[in-house]
Amino acid sequence: MESETKSEIIDATNRVLCENGYAGLTMQKIADESSMTTAGIHYHFDTKEELLNAFLDNLIERFTDKLASEATDPRERLDAFLDAVFASSNPAADGFPVAIMELKSQAPFQDLFRERFLDLDDMMREVVADIVADGIDDGHFAETDPEEVAALVTTTINGAHARKVALGESLDETRHVLENTLQLHLGWQPGSEVVA
């Protein structure tokens, strides 16, 4: 029951962040979006920062699940990874990318936020590095440093999302550029996996 309550609070936090942004996030607005009172929210989370830390942990967990691929072919896994990170945002949650950017802007001042975003970045780098290493081992990708490719990919993804929020730039455009770059580094052609 407690996990359901925390889940409800985190879902309400997401809605408030998307609608009002970081500056407009209050415990009262979260309570208004849920069946909880502010006292009930404070029972589970002492501070707004603690609640946002739980929100970011939940975000990382959901994103990790989204990146999980049943495919064994590294080329398919790379395609699935790019599909996940460059997926079009849900129109019902249009404010979500902006809310995440606002939280990232607080990372220099909030150690908890910085740690969560570092965790997210480390997880993405690890996924990409594993895919690249497996692709090299299987003979699908050219010899290269998987860690360097992972750093390039995650930096490009972070930049793409910042440019989408700040400049309205399409994620499709950046994905195309990244795929061309990966083709140069890995000898990988998107969609090149053999379909049985």
Side-chain angles (χ1 to χ4, degrees):
M1 183 65 130
E2 183 169 319
S3 65
E4 287 177 18
T5 302
K6 284 187 175 183
S7 181
E8 179 186 354
I9 295 168
I10 288 171
D11 288 345
T13 302
N14 182 45
R15 289 190 299 276
V16 174
L17 270 172
C18 290
E19 292 169 14
N20 301 286
Y22 176 76
L25 182 71
T26 65
M27 294 297 203
Q28 183 59 57
K29 286 182 182 172
I30 295 168
D32 293 344
E33 277 290 323
S34 70
S35 66
M36 304 291 298
T37 63
T38 56
I41 294 170
H42 279 293
Y43 174 80
H44 295 283
F45 302 100
D46 290 334
T47 64
K48 184 166 85 169
E49 287 71 26
E50 187 181 317
L51 171 56
L52 286 170
N53 188 50
F55 167 79
L56 290 170
D57 280 342
N58 178 265
L59 173 72
I60 292 168
E61 183 180 316
R62 286 185 295 127
F63 190 64
T64 302
D65 291 345
K66 186 177 177 181
L67 291 181
S69 174
E70 299 292 321
T72 56
D73 187 316
R75 296 167 296 181
E76 288 181 46
R77 287 169 43 214
L78 186 53
D79 267 331
F81 174 85
L82 294 176
D83 286 346
V85 297
F86 286 112
S88 298
S89 62
N90 177 354
D94 274 345
F96 187 74
V98 174
I100 294 302
M101 189 62 61
E102 286 184 301
L103 290 176
K104 282 185 176 183
S105 74
Q106 295 301 309
F109 314 107
Q110 298 282 344
D111 289 340
L112 285 175
F113 296 175
R114 183 182 314 113
E115 289 170 16
R116 294 296 72 76
F117 285 116
L118 284 170
D119 291 343
L120 180 60
D121 193 71
D122 289 345
M123 180 270 298
M124 286 176 46
R125 285 182 186 225
E126 185 178 326
V127 168
V128 174
D130 287 347
I131 291 170
V132 172
D134 290 347
I136 292 168
D137 290 345
D138 291 353
H140 299 303
F141 300 155
E143 284 291 329
T144 191
D145 182 339
E147 299 296 328
E148 280 188 14
V149 172
L152 170 75
V153 169
T154 54
T155 300
T156 302
I157 290 164
N158 284 323
H161 287 277
R163 292 180 68 84
K164 177 173 178 44
V165 169
L167 307 174
E169 191 172 282
S170 168
L171 290 177
D172 293 339
E173 190 175 315
T174 306
R175 179 178 180 163
H176 178 72
V177 169
L178 180 58
E179 287 176 341
N180 286 342
T181 303
L182 289 174
Q183 186 175 354
L184 294 172
H185 282 278
L186 303 176
W188 169 70
Q189 182 72 31
S192 62
E193 59 276 359
V194 177
V195 179

